[in-house]
Amino acid sequence: MSGRPLLEVKNLRVEIPTRRTTLVALDDVSFTIGKGEVLGVVGESGAGKSMTGNAVIGLLDPPAHIVSGEIWLNGQRIDNMTEAQREKLRGKEIGAIFQDPLTSLNPLFTVGDQLVETIMRHSKRSEKEALSYAIELLKQTGIPAAEQRIKDYPHQFSGGMRQRVVIALVLASDPKLIIADEPTTALDVSIQAQIIDLLKTLCRERGTSIMLISHDMGVIAEVADRIAIMYAGRVAEIGNVRDVIDDPKHPYTVGLMGAIPKLTDSSSMLTQIPGQMPRLNEVPVGCAFHPRCPLSDDICVKQKPPFIQHGNSFAACWKSHQCEDGEIKYKAEPFHVRDPEELEEMAKPNG
């Protein structure tokens, strides 16, 4: 990839005003996505992954709003556009695939009606040409007997087939960027693999860029070129997917990788990161991860860490140089099964 990235997010800050205070949902988030590149965005629930995707596509629910930073798409700034301008942008330039395909499909219209309407809205094709293109899109996304299935309603498709229909809808307007928010979470494992292969083919053949939001590191490792780890509304680490997975430089990333079962070593204990993601009104000063981090000290508590470069990756951590293999260990306590006599003893009243 060369030249200017397709998507540039610079120092993005999103706030949610409430009656008592103002919550910071995204804090100084920056990243880029090149043309034809897949950026995986990973983190626990509440990390800010979906909020980032919604900010890019302009679907923040009020009162959440962007207070600072910039979003550029293909050399054009889009965060300061009017809603009318954003509506023209959505679909044609940026598409979205959500976790539940039923939320993206109208149950009152056939799949063909929805595809044809989308195609005609974003191109100069006639209704007949749009119908022919819709059938071709269903074939490209792996829908068997597309000529017949195009007349069916969404409820007549399985979950995996509905997600393929949604992908076909997104492709109908040939967007440059697709925001895919947990697109495989609601599907079984075999269907997940098919959708992952479809997304990979999409990037390779069409040159489409994808922002793939997921909590599943396996999916990200399979599809993404680069990976951004998010925590408490901030980017904790970003870099080439193999660099981040094989040699993580942020303690949070180390913990995430340690929580993935290893096929080659079934006897090892999985990592358990102590504590939980802070609520928006409880994000600590300094490094947001410091209350859960075994390496934290005074500077982590007091000062927000800058991005420190490690080869092709960057980590927002004062102690990133200590995150070498074997130097940071989270304790994972084994699950303790209590016997019946112990439970009876615990149930007795005190005294």
Side-chain angles (χ1 to χ4, degrees):
M1 292 172 293
S2 60
R4 186 170 186 173
L6 175 70
L7 178 70
E8 297 174 272
V9 177
K10 303 177 181 179
N11 310 112
L12 185 66
R13 183 181 179 92
V14 172
E15 295 182 353
I16 306 174
T18 67
R19 287 181 294 178
R20 296 184 177 182
T21 186
T22 297
L23 306 177
V24 179
L26 297 178
D27 183 13
D28 198 24
V29 172
S30 299
F31 60 89
T32 63
I33 301 179
K35 296 178 181 179
E37 181 183 44
V38 180
L39 175 70
V41 183
V42 185
E44 295 172 272
S45 296
K49 308 184 299 296
S50 295
M51 183 72 73
T52 303
N54 289 339
V56 170
I57 202 171
L59 291 178
L60 288 175
D61 292 326
H65 64 288
I66 298 173
V67 295
S68 63
E70 300 176 358
I71 302 174
W72 292 76
L73 180 69
N74 210 24
Q76 180 183 17
R77 186 173 177 182
I78 64 174
D79 61 281
N80 57 358
M81 285 183 170
T82 65
E83 184 56 31
Q85 291 173 321
R86 284 182 177 275
E87 287 185 2
K88 293 180 179 180
L89 188 76
R90 287 193 288 265
K92 187 175 182 179
E93 301 290 331
I94 306 178
I97 304 172
F98 298 106
Q99 179 174 335
D100 184 1
L102 278 178
T103 62
S104 303
L105 298 171
N106 191 324
L108 302 179
F109 296 92
T110 66
V111 164
D113 290 337
Q114 297 178 62
L115 277 167
V116 168
E117 180 184 1
T118 302
I119 293 168
M120 293 180 67
R121 180 174 182 179
H122 295 291
S123 70
K124 296 180 180 180
R125 290 182 174 90
S126 66
E127 185 174 352
K128 183 178 179 180
E129 291 172 333
L131 178 60
S132 178
Y133 185 47
I135 293 173
E136 181 60 29
L137 285 173
L138 290 181
K139 290 179 179 179
Q140 289 180 14
T141 53
I143 302 292
E147 292 85 352
Q148 288 75 43
R149 298 307 305 273
I150 199 168
K151 303 173 185 177
D152 291 343
Y153 289 85
H155 72 272
Q156 294 176 279
F157 290 81
S158 66
M161 288 298 166
R162 280 196 293 265
Q163 194 65 292
R164 291 174 184 270
V165 171
V166 171
I167 294 175
L169 270 172
V170 172
L171 297 181
S173 53
D174 199 21
K176 297 179 177 65
L177 173 68
I178 294 177
I179 309 293
D181 192 349
E182 303 278 9
T184 62
T185 300
L187 309 175
D188 62 58
V189 176
S190 60
I191 302 301
Q192 281 187 22
Q194 296 173 17
I195 298 299
I196 289 170
D197 287 339
L198 182 58
L199 291 174
K200 290 167 64 177
T201 302
L202 169 68
C203 283
R204 183 173 62 252
E205 296 183 353
R206 288 177 170 252
T208 307
S209 301
I210 299 178
M211 178 180 173
L212 179 59
I213 299 168
S214 179
H215 66 277
D216 191 331
M217 193 69 79
V219 171
I220 296 297
E222 180 70 19
V223 182
D225 300 300
R226 291 190 303 124
I227 183 173
I229 307 295
M230 292 196 68
Y231 186 83
R234 306 173 184 176
V235 176
E237 185 168 358
I238 188 168
N240 294 334
V241 66
R242 294 268 41 112
D243 292 336
V244 174
I245 289 177
D246 295 339
D247 190 19
K249 295 301 182 182
H250 194 286
Y252 180 57
T253 312
V254 174
L256 290 179
M257 297 311 304
I260 300 175
K262 295 178 175 60
L263 297 178
T264 56
D265 186 7
S266 59
S267 62
S268 62
M269 295 293 296
L270 298 181
T271 294
Q272 177 181 322
I273 303 177
Q276 60 186 4
M277 183 79 63
R279 297 179 179 180
L280 292 183
N281 61 346
E282 298 175 345
V283 177
V285 178
C287 175
F289 187 63
H290 83 255
R292 306 172 68 184
C293 180
L295 301 180
S296 64
D297 59 16
D298 289 345
I299 191 171
C300 305
V301 175
K302 297 176 182 178
Q303 296 184 36
K304 180 180 174 182
F307 273 104
I308 300 173
Q309 184 171 2
H310 300 272
N312 294 319
S313 61
F314 296 81
C317 176
W318 294 109
K319 306 294 180 179
S320 57
H321 61 284
Q322 296 182 28
C323 292
E324 300 295 336
D325 184 37
E327 289 194 25
I328 171 173
K329 296 291 184 182
Y330 288 98
K331 293 182 179 180
E333 296 295 334
F335 181 75
H336 179 53
V337 180
R338 301 183 187 276
D339 58 53
E341 292 182 2
E342 185 179 8
L343 291 173
E344 288 180 6
E345 187 67 25
M346 292 174 62
K348 292 179 180 180
N350 294 332

